Amino acid sequence: MPLYEFRCPQCGCRFELLCSISQRDNAVCPKCAGKVERVYQGKCAFGAIKGASGCGGNCSGCPGCGSRT
Ligand SMILES: [Zn+2]
């Protein structure tokens, strides 16, 4: 399972969660149980998951970077 980072707009806390994609979409804040938004980390999530070290996070050539907006 991938590790996702979230931020809560209500109380401002940040936390990481190891969860599936369906759980990720329903993630809530552990403090206030509010709806949270996902934080994109500096490095390429796809590269991190696949264990690749060549991607610096802005290559836009891999699925991890290419899906970032
Ligand atoms: Zn919160």
Side-chain angles (χ1 to χ4, degrees), residues 8-13 29-34 36:
C8 175
Q10 280 77 236
C11 68
C13 75
C29 174
K31 288 185 180 175
C32 70
V36 294

Side-chain angles (χ1 to χ4, degrees), residues 4-34:
Y4 295 106
E5 186 174 358
F6 298 92
R7 187 180 70 86
C8 175
Q10 280 77 236
C11 68
C13 75
R14 288 171 72 119
F15 62 100
E16 291 179 333
L17 205 60
L18 199 62
C19 61
S20 68
I21 290 172
S22 58
Q23 288 174 315
R24 180 198 74 190
D25 291 340
N26 293 313
V28 294
C29 174
K31 288 185 180 175
C32 70

